[in-house]
Amino acid sequence: MNLVITGATSFLGWPMTEYCLKKGHRVFAVVRPHSRNSGRIQALLKAFGSRIVPVYMKLEDMDRIRDRIEETCQAWIHFGWDGAGSDNRTQQDIQQKNVGDSMCALRGALSLGCSRFLFSGSQAEYGIRNTPMSETDPCCPVSEYGKAKVAFYRQAGEYLAGLAAFSLKEPPVDYVHTRIFSVYGPGDHPWSLVETCRKTFLAGGAMELGDCTGQWNFLHRDDCIRALYKLLEAPGRIGLTGEENGIYNIAAAEEETRPLREYVEEMYRLCGERGTCLYGKRPPNAEGQINLIPSIEKLQARTGFVPEICFKEGFEALCREEEEKI
């Protein structure tokens, strides 16, 4: 297939681009002009040559992408989203601009003839919960980040429904809305919990944490990419229709859901019990004190996805990579 991937140098966009290239697809990798991670695209160019085509464009220009890509494309994977860091998640203007930019991307996908549009939503759409989260549950987002992800889902649905009503046919693109939970792995943000714990404990430092009393679920980056790819290649229409909401949780298996403090203590042990854990020193993140208790039954039923990397294995691999750098 010809694929378009926005945010192609991001934490998830970069490995997704590489994964699709290894599967034999051609990728138009959309990157912001002057991206600080453009070296990642250069590395992929050396490895895959003409099968990756960098497209340097701003997100707000995505509805004019036909001016840059003349070929028909089969699918669009949308990771492009500004302000994903904790501080920016509270900024309404930044997050609402993302909604408009993503609508531009959807129109761009239609202009290229894409038959599937895969969107990277978030568990933040559910809001504060103490019970399992399934795709049919109502959304009560707290952060502006979560609200914007929900707003795009609704606007995209209304837009596609309008096009379908006008043509008296199914929506012209199969819109798949993923809700990604807590992902860790190579290339993660340096301020993430896993990365901060790893670096602090290995250095023998004091790790200041919140209460860490909520339930949590960590999914390795490589498993996340495999899950997304399974949705990309799934046969038939799996996205939003009049009867199907097109939403899929992306998370680890049920047995990986446990108190966050257990994860912290496991990382502490795997780092040789160096340093200390100081609980109750930090406030909750932008969404507040949350619990992550995802259900992936729908994803598994539709794609057969089974996570392959348990947290212990994934974290140990991260520690080995750091030792090899030294």
Tab-separated table of all heavy atoms in Angstrom, residues 81-91 94-95 98 143 145 189 191 285-287:
chain	number	residue	atom	x	y	z
A	81	TRP	N	0.035	15.685	16.374
A	81	TRP	CA	-0.746	16.332	17.445
A	81	TRP	C	0.212	17.146	18.308
A	81	TRP	O	1.116	16.597	18.923
A	81	TRP	CB	-1.449	15.276	18.297
A	81	TRP	CG	-2.506	15.800	19.218
A	81	TRP	CD1	-2.340	16.281	20.480
A	81	TRP	CD2	-3.911	15.889	18.940
A	81	TRP	NE1	-3.549	16.662	21.015
A	81	TRP	CE2	-4.541	16.430	20.093
A	81	TRP	CE3	-4.702	15.559	17.849
A	81	TRP	CZ2	-5.908	16.645	20.173
A	81	TRP	CZ3	-6.068	15.774	17.923
A	81	TRP	CH2	-6.666	16.311	19.064
A	82	ASP	N	0.012	18.446	18.356
A	82	ASP	CA	0.881	19.309	19.159
A	82	ASP	C	0.477	19.274	20.632
A	82	ASP	O	-0.681	19.038	20.962
A	82	ASP	CB	0.801	20.755	18.671
A	82	ASP	CG	1.557	20.972	17.373
A	82	ASP	OD1	2.575	20.292	17.168
A	82	ASP	OD2	1.117	21.805	16.562
A	83	GLY	N	1.446	19.535	21.511
A	83	GLY	CA	1.137	19.710	22.925
A	83	GLY	C	0.720	18.457	23.651
A	83	GLY	O	-0.223	18.477	24.441
A	84	ALA	N	1.430	17.331	23.404
A	84	ALA	CA	1.085	16.086	24.094
A	84	ALA	C	1.717	15.985	25.479
A	84	ALA	O	1.364	15.113	26.259
A	84	ALA	CB	1.508	14.885	23.252
A	85	GLY	N	2.674	16.874	25.786
A	85	GLY	CA	3.307	16.853	27.106
A	85	GLY	C	2.345	17.257	28.204
A	85	GLY	O	1.315	17.888	27.960
A	86	SER	N	2.667	16.918	29.431
A	86	SER	CA	1.763	17.130	30.557
A	86	SER	C	1.324	18.581	30.702
A	86	SER	O	0.145	18.867	30.912
A	86	SER	CB	2.436	16.656	31.852
A	86	SER	OG	1.559	16.807	32.950
A	87	ASP	N	2.256	19.527	30.581
A	87	ASP	CA	1.904	20.937	30.759
A	87	ASP	C	0.931	21.422	29.686
A	87	ASP	O	-0.047	22.126	29.974
A	87	ASP	CB	3.170	21.802	30.744
A	87	ASP	CG	4.044	21.571	31.972
A	87	ASP	OD1	3.511	21.055	32.974
A	87	ASP	OD2	5.247	21.891	31.911
A	88	ASN	N	1.206	21.071	28.440
A	88	ASN	CA	0.378	21.543	27.334
A	88	ASN	C	-0.994	20.876	27.280
A	88	ASN	O	-1.882	21.349	26.569
A	88	ASN	CB	1.099	21.331	26.004
A	88	ASN	CG	2.226	22.324	25.803
A	88	ASN	OD1	2.137	23.466	26.228
A	88	ASN	ND2	3.302	21.881	25.171
A	89	ARG	N	-1.176	19.803	28.007
A	89	ARG	CA	-2.473	19.131	27.998
A	89	ARG	C	-3.569	19.996	28.610
A	89	ARG	O	-4.750	19.731	28.402
A	89	ARG	CB	-2.386	17.795	28.758
A	89	ARG	CG	-1.597	16.739	28.017
A	89	ARG	CD	-1.601	15.421	28.759
A	89	ARG	NE	-0.916	14.396	28.000
A	89	ARG	CZ	-1.325	13.128	27.895
A	89	ARG	NH1	-2.431	12.752	28.499
A	89	ARG	NH2	-0.640	12.264	27.192
A	90	THR	N	-3.174	21.002	29.346
A	90	THR	CA	-4.164	21.884	29.975
A	90	THR	C	-4.463	23.120	29.128
A	90	THR	O	-5.333	23.915	29.499
A	90	THR	CB	-3.657	22.345	31.361
A	90	THR	OG1	-2.468	23.142	31.187
A	90	THR	CG2	-3.336	21.150	32.245
A	91	GLN	N	-3.769	23.302	28.016
A	91	GLN	CA	-3.888	24.514	27.211
A	91	GLN	C	-4.991	24.362	26.162
A	91	GLN	O	-4.822	23.656	25.163
A	91	GLN	CB	-2.552	24.840	26.540
A	91	GLN	CG	-1.396	25.006	27.508
A	91	GLN	CD	-1.654	26.116	28.519
A	91	GLN	OE1	-2.040	27.223	28.143
A	91	GLN	NE2	-1.433	25.827	29.786
A	94	ILE	N	-4.149	25.389	22.382
A	94	ILE	CA	-3.280	24.426	21.694
A	94	ILE	C	-4.062	23.177	21.313
A	94	ILE	O	-3.983	22.692	20.175
A	94	ILE	CB	-2.082	24.050	22.585
A	94	ILE	CG1	-1.169	25.256	22.786
A	94	ILE	CG2	-1.304	22.886	21.978
A	94	ILE	CD1	-0.024	25.004	23.753
A	95	GLN	N	-4.834	22.669	22.258
A	95	GLN	CA	-5.549	21.415	22.009
A	95	GLN	C	-6.671	21.586	20.983
A	95	GLN	O	-6.887	20.711	20.140
A	95	GLN	CB	-6.083	20.848	23.331
A	95	GLN	CG	-4.995	20.508	24.333
A	95	GLN	CD	-3.956	19.541	23.772
A	95	GLN	OE1	-4.258	18.690	22.941
A	95	GLN	NE2	-2.718	19.687	24.223
A	98	ASN	N	-5.476	21.513	17.492
A	98	ASN	CA	-5.254	20.147	17.020
A	98	ASN	C	-6.498	19.553	16.376
A	98	ASN	O	-6.403	18.754	15.441
A	98	ASN	CB	-4.815	19.256	18.183
A	98	ASN	CG	-3.361	19.459	18.556
A	98	ASN	OD1	-2.502	19.554	17.696
A	98	ASN	ND2	-3.088	19.523	19.853
A	143	SER	N	-9.023	16.783	31.173
A	143	SER	CA	-8.020	17.668	30.593
A	143	SER	C	-8.476	18.197	29.237
A	143	SER	O	-9.311	17.596	28.551
A	143	SER	CB	-6.696	16.934	30.421
A	143	SER	OG	-6.810	15.941	29.409
A	145	TYR	N	-6.667	18.185	26.705
A	145	TYR	CA	-6.148	17.181	25.777
A	145	TYR	C	-7.203	16.117	25.489
A	145	TYR	O	-7.518	15.817	24.338
A	145	TYR	CB	-4.891	16.558	26.384
A	145	TYR	CG	-4.281	15.420	25.614
A	145	TYR	CD1	-3.517	15.650	24.472
A	145	TYR	CD2	-4.421	14.110	26.060
A	145	TYR	CE1	-2.930	14.604	23.785
A	145	TYR	CE2	-3.830	13.049	25.380
A	145	TYR	CZ	-3.089	13.305	24.249
A	145	TYR	OH	-2.500	12.253	23.572
A	189	HIS	N	9.465	9.755	25.864
A	189	HIS	CA	9.789	11.092	26.361
A	189	HIS	C	10.631	10.977	27.632
A	189	HIS	O	10.342	10.148	28.498
A	189	HIS	CB	8.505	11.868	26.660
A	189	HIS	CG	7.589	12.003	25.480
A	189	HIS	ND1	7.943	12.703	24.348
A	189	HIS	CD2	6.341	11.521	25.254
A	189	HIS	CE1	6.951	12.652	23.480
A	189	HIS	NE2	5.977	11.946	23.997
A	191	TRP	N	10.630	12.679	30.203
A	191	TRP	CA	9.908	13.008	31.436
A	191	TRP	C	8.852	11.955	31.806
A	191	TRP	O	8.149	12.108	32.782
A	191	TRP	CB	9.225	14.373	31.285
A	191	TRP	CG	8.240	14.424	30.150
A	191	TRP	CD1	6.944	13.965	30.141
A	191	TRP	CD2	8.473	14.941	28.840
A	191	TRP	NE1	6.364	14.164	28.922
A	191	TRP	CE2	7.279	14.773	28.100
A	191	TRP	CE3	9.566	15.541	28.211
A	191	TRP	CZ2	7.161	15.176	26.762
A	191	TRP	CZ3	9.443	15.934	26.892
A	191	TRP	CH2	8.255	15.757	26.190
A	285	ASN	N	-1.026	14.171	37.629
A	285	ASN	CA	-0.767	14.797	36.334
A	285	ASN	C	-1.950	15.649	35.894
A	285	ASN	O	-2.889	15.876	36.653
A	285	ASN	CB	-0.426	13.733	35.278
A	285	ASN	CG	-1.579	12.783	35.037
A	285	ASN	OD1	-2.728	13.055	35.356
A	285	ASN	ND2	-1.280	11.639	34.451
A	286	ALA	N	-1.922	16.111	34.652
A	286	ALA	CA	-2.931	17.058	34.166
A	286	ALA	C	-4.348	16.514	34.243
A	286	ALA	O	-5.302	17.277	34.390
A	286	ALA	CB	-2.602	17.460	32.727
A	287	GLU	N	-4.510	15.201	34.137
A	287	GLU	CA	-5.849	14.611	34.202
A	287	GLU	C	-6.328	14.404	35.632
A	287	GLU	O	-7.476	14.031	35.852
A	287	GLU	CB	-5.868	13.258	33.470
A	287	GLU	CG	-5.941	13.357	31.968
A	287	GLU	CD	-4.588	13.674	31.338
A	287	GLU	OE1	-3.552	13.305	31.932
A	287	GLU	OE2	-4.568	14.314	30.283
